[in-house]
Amino acid sequence: MPRFSPAILATAEPPIPAAREWASRYAGRHGPALDLTQAVPGYPPHPELLARLGEAASQRDAAGYGPIAGDDALREALAEDASRFYGSTISAAEVAITAGCNLAFAMAMTVIAEPGAEVLVPTPWYFNHEMTLRMQGVTARPLPCRAEDGFVPDPALAETLVNDRTRAILLVSPNNPTGAIYPAATLSAFAELAARRGLWLVLDETYRDFLAAAPHDLFETARENLVHLYSFSKAHCIPGHRLGAVIAPRAFQAQLAKALDSFQICPARPAQRVIAWAIPALRDWREANRRLMEERAQACRAALNHARIDALGAYFAYVRLPKDAPDAMDAAAGLAEHRGVMTLPGPFFGPGQARHLRLAFANAEAKRLAELGARFSFTESPR
């Protein structure tokens, strides 16, 4: 039999199908299954957005190739929106549109890190980040974060882990999986560290539209080594249309264009046209959804008032298992099979996470989240 790449063989299986396989054995005893695994918007796209998507998909010119870095209209719309959000001046030339934020990350890492290099990644980490780095032959070096600190990473600890193979520091805020929101001062300290040590600071803000706090000022203070990743999926409820973005200096964009041309040629065009309209037109709708997510976060916290929530924000709650519960893999399997509650166990998110579960509370309405109070139990046999 022909050989497989050693890097792909060493990469973990996708976690979410495993969690849903556990739920396939659920007999329905406690009511309909509650899927809190994959982070998906628990409400539909705006009806006019859907109508425009259908119209755009039927346009002949949208079926042809577009610019490598994305259509000008969307790049300009995102540049204007980001400038407004961050209180800075960001140009369309600093924006590249990608086929989703996962691909944005993969292509950015292709620009930054060669095989054998390292990227500093706080743990718990988003599993696709570690999987992508491993496939590219790059080591994700863990930067352990503590529950006692709300899972906010420590810049001083990070500096002790930087070595001559380190190429970048990766941060995700609001965080996946914990929901932790990194204070502006922490982000500034990491930016200073990255600049001083000659590293890129890669900041994934997929969930920034759900922030209630004032944003950071890194586009003013750390522009030259900041690589910013963004996703349109959550804010506009279009994860299936795969649109993300990289905002970075022009020198970075010049190198990124090589990866863009090789990995995607151009992003799918119909959704680009529609989101260019939606960014300014649906601003109030997105703000209403942000408030809705705050309500769901409150509902999740209220339902789990008997449990220890070590971090919660944006889309996620990171819950510590009680002492009498099994470790996370068995606990998640038991919840899915016997209680119909699908979560992701901590070990999917890196080392040292055997006593935590991630709940994507954004997926469910508040009345469904209220069921967690009764269903979040580990008294039955886990498997």
Side-chain angles (χ1 to χ4, degrees), residues 134-345:
R134 185 179 292 270
M135 283 186 280
Q136 293 182 344
V138 177
T139 298
R141 184 158 195 195
L143 167 58
C145 299
R146 306 190 314 159
E148 295 84 352
D149 300 324
F151 289 104
V152 174
D154 180 0
L157 175 60
E159 182 149 26
T160 69
L161 301 176
V162 172
N163 59 43
D164 59 3
R165 295 185 301 279
T166 309
R167 300 292 179 266
I169 300 170
L170 171 65
L171 301 177
V172 182
S173 178
N175 187 257
N176 180 3
T178 66
I181 296 169
Y182 300 168
T186 299
L187 294 174
S188 293
F190 272 102
E192 190 277 330
L193 167 61
R196 180 161 38 81
R197 300 298 295 268
L199 307 174
W200 293 101
L201 178 63
V202 181
L203 178 58
D204 184 332
E205 290 196 297
T206 290
Y207 301 94
R208 62 99 158 156
D209 296 275
F210 303 96
L211 277 172
H216 58 76
D217 64 354
L218 298 189
F219 284 105
E220 290 293 312
T221 62
R223 194 71 158 264
E224 293 307 310
N225 65 320
L226 176 65
V227 178
H228 183 273
L229 308 181
Y230 178 68
S231 170
F232 300 95
S233 295
K234 309 306 192 261
H236 294 91
C237 305
I238 55 162
H241 285 280
R242 309 309 305 139
L243 280 183
V246 179
I247 303 177
R250 295 185 187 208
F252 189 94
Q253 294 289 352
Q255 302 306 316
L256 180 64
K258 303 172 186 178
L260 294 169
D261 191 40
S262 297
F263 281 84
Q264 66 180 20
I265 300 180
C266 69
R269 303 191 69 202
Q272 288 192 74
R273 294 186 176 187
V274 177
I275 299 305
W277 160 82
I279 287 173
L282 299 184
R283 190 168 281 128
D284 291 344
W285 179 76
R286 293 198 304 276
E287 172 59 21
N289 290 334
R290 184 191 66 76
R291 294 193 298 269
L292 175 64
M293 286 301 155
E294 287 184 347
E295 294 171 4
R296 292 185 180 184
Q298 293 168 7
C300 181
R301 188 180 294 278
L304 293 177
N305 61 6
H306 62 293
R308 176 173 169 179
I309 301 175
D310 279 337
L312 182 146
Y315 259 54
F316 306 108
Y318 207 57
V319 180
R320 181 180 293 274
L321 289 162
K323 291 181 179 180
D324 59 348
D327 277 351
M329 296 298 289
D330 282 340
L335 278 176
E337 181 176 349
H338 299 296
R339 299 275 174 166
V341 177
M342 287 176 271
T343 66
L344 291 185

Side-chain angles (χ1 to χ4, degrees), residues 33-36 40-44 292-301 303 360-373 375:
L34 184 56
D35 188 348
L36 305 180
V40 294
Y43 46 84
L292 175 64
M293 286 301 155
E294 287 184 347
E295 294 171 4
R296 292 185 180 184
Q298 293 168 7
C300 181
R301 188 180 294 278
F361 62 76
N363 299 8
E365 297 178 355
K367 64 181 180 181
R368 293 299 316 277
L369 292 169
E371 299 172 18
L372 287 172
R375 295 172 70 168

